[in-house]
Each structure stands twice: as C-alpha cells, then as structure tokens.
Amino acid sequence: MAAHRRLAAAGAGARDRVAGALRRGPDAAALGRPPDLAWAGIGAAVTAVTAAWAAFALGVPGRRAAWAWLPLPGALLWIGASGLGCLRMWIAPGTEIAGMHQSADCLLFIIGFSVPLSALLIVLLRRACPLRPVLTAVLIGLASAAASASLLEICHAFDSAATDLLTHALAVIVVVAVNAAMGGRLLSKA
C-alpha cells in the first residue's frame, strides 16, 4: 500500500513540475533557440504521449473511439508553433532556414526513428487484440512520428520554414499511413 502512495506522490510532483514549466514557458532564450521551436517540441512530445496513451486505451475492450481525439490539443500546439516559425522570414529576416537537402534529412530522421518505435508499440499492443485495429495503428503511427519529431527538435539546426514544415508533415503522413496499412493487419485478430 505504501508503494501506491509513493507512486501517487511522485506522479503529483511530476504533474506539478510540468504544469509550472508550461506556465513559465520554455526557456528557449537560454538555449539560443527561437521560442516557437521549443513550443513545437513540447507539442510534439505531448502528442506522442497522448497518442500512445490513446492507442493503449483503445486496446482495452469496451473503450470508446473518442479516445482517438486525445492527441488533438498537443497536435494543435505542435502544428501551430511550427507554423509560427514559418513567419520568421518576415518577422526576423536573416535567420537561417533549411534548404531542400536539410529538409530531406529531417524526413529521413523522422521516418527512421519512427520505424522502431512503431514496431515496439505494435508488439506491445498485439496481445491486446484491439477491436479497432486500424484506428489503433493510426494512433501508434502518430505517437511514433511525434516522438521522432520531438527528438528532432532537440538537434534541429535550422529555423522552421514552409519547406521544413511540409517535409515534417509529409514524414508524419507517411508514418501514419504505413502504420494504418500494415499495423491494422498486424493488430487484427485474424
């Protein structure tokens, strides 16, 4: 019983630290990075966690499909902050923007890191036999792509631009589509 109390206290402490950090905002200036990239990284991380949570929730029989909407707030923050970075060319001229070669590296990074994460989540959820395998696979793809994008934000050397945003969106769409096509089959009861 004491272990449950310690776990609850640790969870409450972590929740309070995250809430405090969100109230203060990311300390991007200390890192020498634009604040919208930090918010995009936070949005991607929140999307990854909530999409994985929703995928596991959908693996439990009797759970409603409404769990699929759980990652929406994090995804809106992620997309909105990334889109705000696209305006930087007009707001702060002279910022370094990724070219097509660097954008291709982003595409490969997100897809490359998403493959093992997707495989791991599919293995973990396969035994659950979700009743909605394609929807669960879509959430697995979103979780793995968002986790990969949040890792990319750590080492992203360029400010966000329209080409970069479109490349990231293409990578996420590819990962989600492949997961929907293959993961649905792998998660089904057949």
Side-chain angles (χ1 to χ4, degrees):
M1 193 66 169
H4 293 290
R5 288 187 192 128
R6 285 193 303 259
L7 183 61
R15 180 199 64 216
D16 293 342
R17 284 191 294 276
V18 169
L22 289 176
R23 277 193 299 274
R24 287 189 305 275
D27 193 12
L31 299 174
R33 304 198 53 193
D36 54 290
L37 285 178
W39 281 112
I42 289 171
V46 168
T47 303
V49 170
T50 55
W53 187 354
F56 279 101
L58 287 176
V60 176
R63 294 292 173 102
R64 296 180 350 174
W67 276 95
W69 294 103
L70 186 63
L72 184 63
L76 290 176
L77 175 62
W78 178 22
I79 294 166
S82 296
L84 182 64
C86 293
L87 299 175
R88 177 158 307 120
M89 208 154 101
W90 293 296
I91 297 171
T95 57
E96 191 173 356
I97 297 173
M100 287 306 291
H101 179 59
Q102 291 87 3
S103 292
D105 291 341
C106 293
L107 179 81
L108 294 174
F109 185 95
I110 292 173
I111 292 174
F113 272 93
S114 294
V115 169
L117 292 173
S118 293
L120 175 66
L121 287 172
I122 287 172
V123 166
L124 291 173
L125 280 164
R126 184 167 169 76
R127 292 195 55 156
C129 293
L131 299 177
R132 296 174 195 88
V134 175
L135 181 58
T136 304
V138 165
L139 288 168
I140 288 172
L142 181 61
S144 60
S148 300
S150 67
L151 288 174
L152 179 62
E153 293 294 335
I154 295 170
C155 60
H156 204 262
F158 301 97
D159 292 330
S160 185
T163 55
D164 201 37
L165 181 63
L166 290 175
T167 304
H168 289 204
L170 176 65
V172 171
I173 290 168
V174 165
V175 170
V176 169
V178 168
N179 270 282
M182 300 211 32
R185 291 185 201 140
L186 292 173
L187 292 172
S188 65
K189 295 178 184 177

